[in-house]
Amino acid sequence: MAIRRALISVSDKTGIVEFAKELANQGVQIISTGGTFNLLQKEGVPVTGISDVTGFPEIMDGRVKTLHPAVHSGLLAVRDNEEHQKAMQELGLDYIDLVVVNLYPFKETIAKPDVTYEDAIENIDIGGPTMLRSAAKNHAFVTVVVDAGDYGAVVEEMKVGGDTTLETRKRLAAKVFRHTGAYDALISDYLSKLNGEPLPESYTVTYEKVQDLRYGENPHQQAAFYKKPLAATGNVTTAEQLHGKELSYNNINDANAALAIVKEFDEPAVVAVKHMNPCGVGIGATIHEAYQKAYEADPTSIFGGIIAANRTIGADTAELLGSIFLEIVIAPDFTPEALDILMKKKNIRLMKLGELSAAAERKPEWLVTSVDGGMLVQQSDVHSLNETDLQVVTDRKPTEEEVKQLLFGWKVVKHVKSNAILLAKDDMTVGVGAGQMNRVGAARIAIEQAGEKAAGAALASDAFFPMGDTVELAAKAGITAIIQPGGSIKDEESIAAANAHNIAMVFTGVRHFKH
């Protein structure tokens, strides 16, 4: 067998002229359509129009041109099947040995901020996916190319034997079905959202590989990093790595967790994360001040951590960052002086985010979590509070400063693994109790970490108190204000304990479990 007849129809014409010339030089007859035909003809490549093959004109603005038996018989005929051979001969049809197709730019079209529904629909390719699927199904005999990156390999194999190997055709066919599957997933997602069906009966998602990873959470686990095809800016998938070695699986997870917290704040903020939990968060008049507070929150745990900032990193902050070992620093940008300082450290990873949206502009996204045999889908937790949302349930109302610290603590505790207790004071975290099996245990850890700083601090709890023991523990530590969702059958017990110790307590009516 040899490739002697090819059909080429591409929207992305990168490298297609050179590829077609190589095919022509090997004696391949090239059939083409529309704009691809015009380009190849202009570049002097011998080419036959699709209408000359089908005997039917391209009609309806090109919507109908390749949907014809003369095309699909040539693609789907099983070459060693006598009945198929007989049908081809009787009908005067010829085989097509190579299909080179890429699709209308649907993704690029819907990515435009001013895209219209009509424009999106017009960029749904029909003939292209149909040819690709026909050729890929019949890969025992037909070579199908959807990626310009494969042009060179196909040409080289043809030079050796006139055809591609079955192994190559299998590989290319698998790529085709991945490609058309992703294409259809984008279309279904677009239309489902337009119809107000974010959680339909069949949930199909597609992601594009960013990179293979050395391993997953542990060295014995295989892993790779993918991103959404239309991922928004200001996240770890779109950040530009300016310095340092390749990101690891755990780096990416931790950086994502740090960014989720720092996006809660409009004022200058710095977040330090270890193992998906914040170990230090600070806000200040400048990013330098915010980092100092984040560092002071837990100078031990920050070592080897991930730092996220919501302002450009300057030289003064870089000097402090460079004085300890950090895995990643991720920020909207770095000044040239800051880069000079930090790039002296070989292993630190520096990630440039670009502009971050205001906290109030954040929209929930659909998060997918794998479970054995399935997956869970939920909206991201972007719920926010302001002072008017707080319900004071104790005799004493919180002071203005206590309200400030309560709201600060509330923004952070929602990102701590439940059961979660967080202590806040002077615009910084001073104690974090994460992922405990009972709430009073989380409180003990946070209070122990805070030490003397617990006195006068505000306590935030991600969920209600099942009994009054956490309030009693807080009182012994000198905590003066508490924020919690409320809603327990024993709320009155906690309120009575707070009143007994002159603690101001507010309910939010919202919980923030994070598993």
Side-chain angles (χ1 to χ4, degrees):
M1 292 176 59
I3 292 175
R4 60 181 185 81
R5 205 158 175 255
L7 194 160
I8 302 177
S9 180
V10 292
S11 291
D12 180 359
K13 296 175 174 57
T14 303
I16 196 61
V17 171
E18 295 77 12
F19 184 46
K21 287 181 177 179
E22 289 280 0
L23 296 177
N25 289 339
Q26 296 192 47
V28 177
Q29 179 193 2
I30 297 173
I31 305 162
S32 193
T33 66
T36 307
F37 172 87
N38 293 333
L39 174 64
L40 296 181
Q41 192 175 57
K42 177 184 174 182
E43 294 294 331
V45 179
V47 60
T48 302
I50 192 69
S51 295
D52 293 330
V53 174
T54 63
F56 206 87
E58 297 185 26
I59 61 173
M60 300 177 184
D61 300 318
R63 283 191 172 202
V64 180
K65 52 192 176 188
T66 60
L67 298 169
H68 193 279
V71 173
H72 287 277
S73 296
L75 294 176
L76 286 166
V78 177
R79 309 294 173 87
D80 55 6
N81 182 301
E82 291 184 4
E83 289 297 320
H84 289 201
Q85 291 175 5
K86 181 179 178 181
M88 294 290 287
Q89 291 168 1
E90 289 178 350
L91 295 170
L93 300 173
D94 199 356
Y95 301 112
I96 298 173
D97 310 301
L98 170 64
V99 170
V100 185
V101 169
N102 56 55
L103 307 177
Y104 292 173
F106 182 79
K107 181 181 77 171
E108 292 77 8
T109 300
I110 63 172
K112 298 174 184 175
D114 57 347
V115 64
T116 63
Y117 171 77
E118 292 75 18
D119 195 22
I121 297 303
E122 200 57 36
N123 277 277
I124 296 176
D125 202 329
I126 301 300
T130 307
M131 287 189 291
L132 287 173
R133 291 173 64 86
S134 293
K137 175 178 180 176
N138 206 25
H139 64 265
F141 307 100
V142 181
T143 302
V144 56
V145 182
V146 75
D147 181 356
D150 291 312
Y151 293 167
V154 169
V155 166
E156 291 306 311
E157 288 195 12
M158 288 176 62
K159 286 180 179 178
V160 173
D163 196 4
T164 56
T165 65
L166 179 58
E167 181 182 6
T168 293
R169 293 196 296 276
K170 285 181 177 179
R171 177 179 64 82
L172 294 176
K175 181 180 282 192
V176 161
F177 284 114
R178 291 195 299 269
H179 184 76
T180 57
Y183 193 78
D184 286 342
L186 281 173
I187 295 168
S188 65
D189 181 63
Y190 175 78
L191 292 175
S192 295
K193 287 178 179 176
L194 282 183
N195 293 328
E197 299 176 290
L199 297 170
E201 75 289 342
S202 177
Y203 196 85
T204 306
V205 294
T206 183
Y207 295 88
E208 299 170 351
K209 184 182 281 188
V210 177
Q211 67 191 78
D212 288 307
L213 301 173
R214 287 178 296 158
Y215 51 81
E217 283 185 294
N218 299 290
H220 59 275
Q221 294 171 268
Q222 190 174 1
F225 180 31
Y226 291 81
K227 70 174 182 178
K228 292 180 179 178
L230 297 172
T233 57
N235 59 63
V236 71
T237 70
T238 58
E240 177 187 359
Q241 185 167 350
L242 304 177
H243 177 71
K245 59 186 180 181
E246 186 178 278
L247 294 171
S248 72
Y249 181 97
N250 292 331
N251 289 157
I252 293 165
N253 253 336
D254 284 340
N256 185 62
L259 284 175
I261 304 171
V262 86
K263 288 178 182 178
E264 296 279 353
F265 299 96
D266 289 324
E267 59 268 65
V270 171
V271 175
V273 160
K274 285 287 286 290
H275 303 297
M276 300 285 286
N277 279 305
C279 58
V281 180
I283 59 174
T286 65
I287 209 70
H288 183 67
E289 180 185 352
Y291 172 73
Q292 288 177 307
K293 290 181 177 181
Y295 175 82
E296 291 169 8
D298 189 345
T300 301
S301 298
I302 198 173
F303 184 86
I306 278 73
I307 299 293
N310 63 359
R311 296 288 194 281
T312 296
I313 299 292
D316 55 350
T317 309
E319 290 285 1
L320 297 179
L321 292 166
S323 66
I324 62 172
F325 169 63
L326 296 170
E327 291 277 2
I328 299 175
V329 178
I330 187 165
D333 206 350
F334 299 80
T335 65
E337 296 78 12
L339 286 176
D340 287 342
I341 293 166
L342 292 171
M343 284 182 174
K344 292 176 183 176
K345 297 178 74 68
K346 178 181 177 181
N347 292 326
I348 193 171
R349 301 162 178 88
L350 304 178
M351 307 291 292
K352 177 181 174 180
L353 278 171
E355 186 176 354
L356 289 175
S357 300
E361 297 174 358
R362 290 182 309 138
K363 305 294 183 185
E365 294 196 17
W366 293 103
L367 304 179
V368 177
T369 303
S370 296
V371 297
D372 192 3
M375 67 180 186
L376 295 168
V377 182
Q378 69 166 346
Q379 286 184 318
S380 56
D381 186 358
V382 296
H383 185 276
S384 61
L385 287 178
N386 56 49
E387 186 173 351
T388 59
D389 298 316
L390 303 179
Q391 177 191 359
V392 179
V393 294
T394 50
D395 296 338
R396 185 173 77 80
K397 294 182 178 180
T399 65
E400 183 177 342
E401 178 60 22
E402 285 173 334
V403 168
K404 182 182 179 184
Q405 301 309 313
L406 289 171
L407 291 174
F408 169 84
W410 188 250
K411 289 179 178 180
V412 181
V413 77
K414 68 187 280 190
H415 298 279
V416 179
K417 297 284 186 176
S418 192
N419 286 317
I421 296 290
L422 183 138
L423 305 187
K425 186 177 182 181
D426 299 328
D427 298 334
M428 58 187 281
T429 57
V430 293
V432 182
Q436 299 306 301
M437 285 62 73
N438 62 75
R439 196 153 298 279
V440 72
R444 285 195 180 97
I445 292 171
I447 290 168
E448 181 181 351
Q449 182 190 1
E452 295 180 356
K453 293 179 180 178
L459 182 150
S461 173
D462 69 321
F464 64 61
F465 298 149
M467 53 194 68
D469 51 1
T470 301
V471 179
E472 294 291 345
L473 192 65
K476 291 179 182 178
I479 290 162
T480 61
I482 293 173
I483 185 170
Q484 59 132 319
S488 168
I489 59 173
K490 293 189 176 181
D491 274 346
E492 290 304 322
E493 180 180 324
S494 296
I495 294 170
N499 283 330
H501 297 288
N502 200 33
I503 293 174
M505 186 159 66
V506 299
F507 285 0
T508 65
V510 177
R511 79 175 189 200
H512 286 300
F513 277 164
K514 185 176 178 65
H515 288 90

